[in-house]
Structures are given as structure tokens and as C-alpha cells.
Amino acid sequence: MKLYTAQQIRDWDKFTIKNEPIKSIDLMERAAGKLTDWYLENCGGYEDVSIFCGIGNNGGDGLVMARLLSNEQFDVKVFIVHFGENPSPDFTENLERLPKKIDCVHIKESADIPELNKETVIVDCIFGSGISRPPKGITLDVITKINKSNNPVISVDIASGLYTDHYSTHFNSIVEADITLTLEVPKLSMLFPENEKNVGELHILKIGLDKEYAKTVDSNFYFTTSQTAEKIYKPRKRFDHKGKFGHVLLVGGSKGMIGAVQLATRSALRSGAGKTSVIVPSCGYEILQATCPEAMCIADPSRNHIVASTLLKPYTAIGIGPGIGKHEQTKKAIRSIIEDAEKPIVLDADALNLLSENSDWWEMIPENSILTPHVGEFERLADIHFINSFDRLEAASKMAQDRKVIIILKGANTAVCLPNGEIHFNSTGNPGLAKGGSGDALLGLITGLLGQKYNSMEAAILGVYIHGKAGDYAAQNMSIESVTTSDVIDHIGKVFLGF
């Protein structure tokens, strides 16, 4: 699913109006119908509704929603926030259509702002996705009033005051939404942690914008959905055999950190890899043999950490990093493996930390290799601390393009940054994944997919999606708080069943 700038979204509306064809006011009616249907299905027990409308088309959506809810016998009040002198034509027409039984208050100065019933649900339709400067004056006063209330707040399309596609610094003048009902596609700003309190629970409502538009416009931003993952997934044929699904090698572990590579190994096995081998210090040999009998275990000559390289030719993919530590001998061994690699490899954890301390290694990393840093690891790679997520993402994308690698910047809505400049945000996952071992499972899963002849882009995007979805299934059964990485790995198979 492509993501769009504010201007592209406006153009999409125009494209739909021209090519469907449909009148703009009828498109507004259709959008508001979807909003109303969602409200009736999910909030039908909350019959006291206060809708705050601006004088643009977002406000027009609110007016239609007010009319439709009133027809369903809801107690609806409308508050018009006059932030300018030129209402949109569709807003004006829908204001004229508003039934007389609906209380309609015009807010032009602070004294007009009402005291809200504590039982009312606030629907925010003041500004849409086109806002380009911070709210001020009467609009700021209304937003402040809404945020100080303890009422539930639903924002239509985007929280009023939040920029669509760039960083917002005016946090005190943005509606703090409990729920956002965004139209057709998420907006870029909704995927960053700084805006969590302005987005709340995100729901995407399809309103039937013209599907041909995506073919006419370019975007570097994508949102990975189940449909995306299903297109990447390669189903197996009846007469396939293990030789068709690769032989992956995992390199990891050190004294006290064998669990990390054990989790990575279990995840690689669940990925469907034909054969899985793992190199561990000899202190981990019996552990791996006992807990992962399906994997072939190679004991390093050293008891406590990895010191030896190995021949790489037999392996279709190599994942390095879980629990390896940064011992000087380990550093030499990992350098040797990277130097000998002729195919894309996957790097995580201390493999990334070693890379950040040895910048000359970059020249040895094969093109289209996959790096999976969390925020701290990425900032060590970039050798800079970023003030906000927008700047961090931009730096990750630039690194991916300059170094010709894939950077998976982990977090909520994990971003997969490709060498061609595309950024794919993930739609799955929950805070239950924010635990030790989660990254190790991701490395094993992606390495396993890469070894099965998924290309690097496919392995990265699909691996991140499956990892997050397995976490969602685990949380449904275990609760977000109680999910362990082992639970996530155990639910990988359920994700594959859904394809």
C-alpha cells in the first residue's frame, strides 16, 4: 500500500472525482457514510455526540456524519469553528442540509466555546490533512479545550493540527485523539512515536478512491499489509524437497548468551529453511543439540566465544550477531566471515556494534545485505544522536542508499529502508515484542527466508511482517505483558497458515 503526501491526497480526491466520475459532495457523503457506519458498529452505545467542524471539507465530513447519526436518533451537537472567512462550497451545502433539530453553535471567539457534557463523545473534524502551519487564535483555544477535557476523542482522517507528511513541533496545539479514523490510507506522520498521543488507536476506512491513481503517482513510502505479504509469499508445491529451500548458517552466542542464538535458530527453523546450521562456542554445543535437534550444530574451538571462521560456500544465507559479544578474537572471526561472503548476509546485535567500531568493514559487506538495528544500534552506526524519528528515518534511508544495503529500523511500525530509496512501514506488531530476544528471532526468521531464495527486499519486508503478526497472535493468547520471544516463535506457523 502506497503512502502519500498531503498534496497527493488532494490530487487523489480530484482524480476520483474526475475519473469515476462523482461529484465532490457525493464523495463526501460516501466518506461520511463509512465514518458513520464505523461509529454505529463500534460506539453505538454512546449516543451523546459533539462534532467540532472546521469550515473546510473535513468539517463537511463532520456535518454529514452529524446528519446521518441524527437520523439514527443519536443526540448530536455541532460546533462550527470559524478559523477563516471562506468556507468550502461542499461545507456550505452540507451546513444547509443539516436538520433543524440538531443544535449548531458557531464558535468565533473564546466565549463561544461550550462547556462539554462529560458523557459526550467528541468527534474532531476541524482540520484535515492539508494543514501546513500550527493552529492559532480561536482554533488553538478550541483544541486546548478539547485536550483538557476528559471526554473520548475521535479524529476524522487526522488529528486537527497534525502535519501529514513532516515533523510537527507544535505539540500543544494538536488534538490528542483516542481514536483516529483515517480515510483510505494512513498518513506518514501517524507512524512515528512522537505522534502517538495524537493518533491513538488507528483505523483505516476505505472510501472508494480510484485505484488507478496509484499507477499514476510515485511514492517512496509504503505500508506493508496482509495483501502485501501474501503477494511476496511463495507457496510450496507437492513435490518440493528440502534442497529447494536452502541451507542457512547462523553465527552467534558467547558464554551467558547462548539463549540468543538458540532463539535465532528456532526462528530460522520455523521460517521453512531446508537446512539450518549454527556455529556456537563449545559451551553452547550441548544446549543447541538438546533444544534444536533439527539444526546442525558446529562447535567453535573456543569454549566461551567464537574465534574461528568457516567455509561459506555450502550456505545460501548467513545471519550473524545474536549473543556473539565483542571479544577481540570474535571480531577477527566475524571480519573474516564478512570478507569471504559473496551473497547478501544478515547482521544484528553485536555484529552491528562491531561494524560501528570498524568502519572499514563497510567495504566488505555484500550489496543488498540486511542490517536490523534498533534505535540505539542505528545511532551508533550513524555516529549521531537524533532528536526526532523523522530525522532518524531520513538518515537510515540515506545510509541504505549510500551503502547499498537494507536497513531495518526496528520499533513500532518498523521501517524497512531499501537501497532504491523506498521505505516500507510495517503494519503488524505490538509492545509485547519490546523484550530481550525479539531481535534474535527476527534475525533467524529473515535469514531463513533469505536462504529460501526470497530476494533481500522480499525477505526483509516479509520477515518483519511475519514477526510482528506472530507477536500479535501471541499477545491475543498470552497478553502483551506476558508474551515471550519463544511465544512469538511458536506462532510463526499460524502466520503462514493465513497466507
Side-chain angles (χ1 to χ4, degrees), residues 71-387:
N71 290 343
E72 297 292 332
Q73 308 308 311
F74 281 69
D75 184 6
V76 182
K77 300 179 183 65
V78 170
F79 301 95
I80 309 297
V81 183
H82 288 265
F83 53 72
E85 300 297 329
N86 299 304
S88 75
D90 289 345
F91 170 88
T92 300
E93 183 165 346
N94 274 306
L95 184 59
E96 292 172 356
R97 293 179 179 181
L98 200 67
K100 299 298 183 184
K101 66 177 180 178
I102 297 178
D103 290 339
C104 185
V105 176
H106 291 266
I107 301 176
K108 298 182 178 180
E109 55 186 47
S110 296
D112 299 327
I113 302 174
E115 292 298 323
L116 296 170
N117 181 341
K118 292 182 179 180
E119 302 301 319
T120 194
V121 174
I122 296 173
V123 178
D124 159 37
C125 299
I126 304 171
F127 289 123
S129 60
I131 189 171
S132 59
R133 57 182 181 270
K136 59 183 180 180
I138 188 60
T139 313
L140 175 58
D141 292 342
V142 172
I143 290 173
T144 301
K145 182 79 170 184
I146 290 173
N147 288 344
K148 286 183 177 179
S149 75
N150 290 319
N151 299 72
V153 178
I154 299 174
S155 284
V156 167
D157 200 29
I158 191 169
S160 291
L162 183 63
Y163 294 152
T164 297
D165 48 32
H166 57 283
Y167 185 57
S168 303
T169 57
H170 51 284
F171 295 115
N172 292 330
S173 53
I174 305 172
V175 166
E176 297 175 6
D178 297 294
I179 295 171
T180 296
L181 305 179
T182 198
L183 305 179
E184 204 66 35
V185 294
K187 287 30 177 201
L188 183 62
S189 60
M190 297 174 180
L191 306 178
F192 292 92
E194 290 92 338
N195 301 327
E196 180 181 16
K197 69 178 182 179
N198 308 113
V199 178
E201 186 179 300
L202 178 63
H203 296 271
I204 304 167
L205 304 186
K206 295 290 185 179
I207 61 170
L209 294 184
D210 198 307
K211 293 180 180 179
E212 291 298 309
Y213 179 79
K215 300 176 183 178
T216 71
V217 65
D218 293 326
S219 175
N220 282 336
F221 299 104
Y222 294 79
F223 193 58
T224 302
T225 63
S226 59
Q227 290 80 11
T228 311
E230 287 171 10
K231 288 179 182 178
I232 297 173
Y233 170 66
K234 299 176 182 181
R236 300 197 172 188
K237 299 175 183 178
R238 181 183 175 190
F239 292 101
D240 285 340
H241 54 84
K242 69 180 180 182
K244 294 191 66 173
F245 303 112
H247 185 179
V248 305
L249 174 68
L250 299 175
V251 183
S254 58
K255 185 178 180 180
M257 294 293 290
I258 299 301
V261 70
Q262 189 255 16
L263 291 169
T265 303
R266 289 181 56 212
S267 187
L269 292 167
R270 292 289 187 192
S271 75
K275 292 191 287 185
T276 301
S277 291
V278 54
I279 298 177
V280 293
S282 57
C283 66
Y285 178 77
E286 292 182 355
I287 297 172
L288 265 294
Q289 289 285 63
T291 59
C292 302
E294 301 91 344
M296 292 170 282
C297 190
I298 304 167
D300 188 272
S302 169
R303 175 165 181 76
N304 294 331
H305 52 266
I306 289 174
V307 302
S309 181
T310 187
L311 292 174
L312 304 182
K313 189 174 181 180
Y315 306 108
T316 54
I318 302 166
I320 309 170
I324 59 171
K326 297 196 296 178
H327 193 280
E328 187 65 26
Q329 290 176 302
T330 301
K331 181 176 79 171
K332 293 178 181 178
I334 300 306
R335 177 193 168 98
S336 178
I337 294 172
I338 293 174
E339 192 171 18
D340 291 345
E342 297 179 351
K343 304 170 189 173
I345 57 178
V346 189
L347 301 177
D348 185 41
D350 275 330
L352 297 175
N353 293 327
L354 287 169
L355 175 61
S356 69
E357 296 169 5
N358 298 273
S359 59
D360 59 306
W361 289 17
W362 278 111
E363 303 304 320
M364 301 182 292
I365 295 176
E367 287 188 11
N368 294 312
S369 289
I370 302 170
L371 283 61
T372 63
H374 57 56
V375 168
E377 289 164 344
F378 176 73
E379 292 190 344
R380 285 192 284 275
L381 284 172
D383 195 25
I384 187 172
H385 173 68
F386 296 93
I387 300 300

